[in-house]
Amino acid sequence: MKSAITVLKEQINSFYLIQRLSLYEVKSNNKNNYLGMLWEVLNPGIQIAIYWFVFGYGLRNGGQGRAAVGDVPFIVWLLAGMIVWFFINPAIVQASKSVYTRIRMLSKMSFPMSAIPSYIIMSKFYPHLLITALTIVIFQFMGFTINIYYLQLPYFMFSVIAVIIAISLITSTLSTIVRDVQMVVQSIMRMLLYLTPILWNMEDILGEKLVTIMKLNPFYYIVEGYRSALLGQGWYLIEHYQYTLYFWGLVLVLFIFGSFIHVKFRRHFVDFL
């Protein structure tokens, strides 16, 4: 617990620097592209179109397509869940290798190493805000207007940042010690795309017991929370309060463990380079 408190204080004390470095990271990643930040929207848009065509038509009902999930058009249902995945996936993958790829540069600065994954995560959060805003605009023309359930959207944004930071403290530390961990992380994230209710509705296909097992995945909670907010389907965090308690319990455990191993090994990070 002492390590967790130490890391938490470092995050709070370095918040301003994390913001500045994350903005620099966003500009740096797009400075050589003619379209610049526009690619942060174009890439997800192209991928969503492909997934919609494959899972909405090619693999549904013999190619006839799936018109809706419940009373929600499939493309709307897909988009509401997919936008958060475009934040989760690159944030975890990039944050996992952030320490060993930047430690030489940042070791010369007065900057806590625990904040390195955090500023990478924040650099992925800014494009997520842009994509979410565009999605909300699109939904207004598709009949899913802004509603009172949007009030829970900031909560789920905070939740996804919290769980990613907790996970990245673990993966960034282990990846610095053993490089193979980075490849494992990438493979797991590819699997989680299909083990999270993003491309298909698990409750339509799987039994209740299997759905319960799938809900052990914390990203299940995040994706369904985003859908409830954007599509006006209810107060997910309250209606599923048991799941909310499980989610934050898991985040706390991951954060405590990640903080412990990070503080334990960070003095020796340079030795592993």
Side-chain angles (χ1 to χ4, degrees):
M1 183 61 74
K2 183 179 178 180
S3 299
I5 294 174
T6 299
V7 171
L8 185 60
K9 287 181 178 179
E10 290 175 348
Q11 301 294 314
I12 295 173
N13 295 335
S14 304
F15 183 72
Y16 176 71
L17 190 54
I18 288 173
Q19 283 186 309
R20 293 196 60 181
L21 286 173
S22 62
L23 288 171
Y24 173 79
E25 185 77 12
V26 173
K27 294 177 182 178
S28 177
N29 290 339
N30 295 281
K31 67 178 181 179
N32 294 324
N33 299 326
Y34 285 111
L35 298 180
M37 278 289 293
L38 188 59
W39 280 111
E40 300 290 349
V41 177
L42 288 177
N43 273 329
I46 293 170
Q47 292 183 56
I48 288 172
I50 294 172
Y51 286 131
W52 172 63
F53 179 77
V54 172
F55 289 91
Y57 285 90
L59 299 180
R60 298 284 186 178
N61 302 325
Q64 297 302 311
R66 176 169 186 173
V69 178
D71 58 352
V72 179
F74 181 74
I75 181 61
V76 174
W77 182 87
L78 174 67
L79 185 56
M82 202 72 190
I83 57 172
V84 68
W85 184 255
F86 285 129
F87 169 48
I88 293 171
N89 185 48
I92 289 182
V93 171
Q94 295 298 320
S96 296
K97 61 181 181 180
S98 60
V99 173
Y100 72 78
T101 56
R102 293 168 175 81
I103 192 172
R104 291 191 185 278
M105 176 185 68
L106 296 177
S107 61
K108 302 175 182 179
M109 302 171 58
S110 178
F111 190 76
M113 290 185 183
S114 64
I116 298 177
S118 299
Y119 92 76
I120 298 299
I121 292 168
M122 288 303 298
S123 72
K124 303 301 177 183
F125 182 65
Y126 299 132
H128 172 64
L129 288 176
L130 176 59
I131 294 172
T132 302
L134 290 175
T135 300
I136 291 173
V137 172
I138 292 171
F139 281 0
Q140 306 312 298
F141 296 97
M142 302 182 75
F144 295 88
T145 56
I146 294 176
N147 54 79
I148 193 172
Y149 301 114
Y150 271 59
L151 292 175
Q152 62 188 326
L153 193 57
Y155 161 79
F156 284 106
M157 287 183 173
F158 174 78
S159 299
V160 70
I161 290 174
V163 71
I164 293 175
I165 289 177
I167 292 173
S168 297
L169 281 172
I170 299 173
T171 56
S172 63
T173 299
L174 296 180
S175 295
T176 303
I177 300 172
V178 182
R179 295 292 191 276
D180 295 46
V181 172
Q182 180 64 25
M183 302 304 296
V184 174
V185 170
Q186 294 178 11
S187 298
I188 291 176
M189 295 309 296
R190 292 191 191 101
M191 290 190 296
L192 284 179
L193 174 61
Y194 301 97
L195 296 178
T196 306
I198 297 174
L199 304 175
W200 55 298
N201 186 18
M202 296 180 178
E203 295 183 0
D204 285 352
I205 303 173
L206 304 178
E208 184 177 346
K209 291 184 178 179
L210 281 177
V211 171
T212 301
I213 293 174
M214 290 297 185
K215 286 184 176 180
L216 296 176
N217 171 11
F219 300 127
Y220 193 113
Y221 177 78
I222 297 296
V223 171
E224 289 299 284
Y226 263 71
R227 285 201 177 107
S228 293
L230 294 173
L231 305 180
Q233 295 178 334
W235 299 102
Y236 193 83
L237 74 161
I238 298 174
E239 295 170 2
H240 300 82
Y241 69 91
Q242 301 98 327
Y243 199 10
T244 298
L245 293 175
Y246 162 77
F247 173 82
W248 284 109
L250 180 62
V251 170
L252 182 61
V253 170
L254 291 174
F255 184 75
I256 291 174
F257 177 69
S259 300
F260 171 74
I261 62 172
H262 175 84
V263 172
K264 181 179 178 62
F265 289 103
R266 65 181 175 184
R267 295 179 181 177
H268 308 287
F269 279 168
V270 177
D271 299 334
F272 294 106
L273 298 180

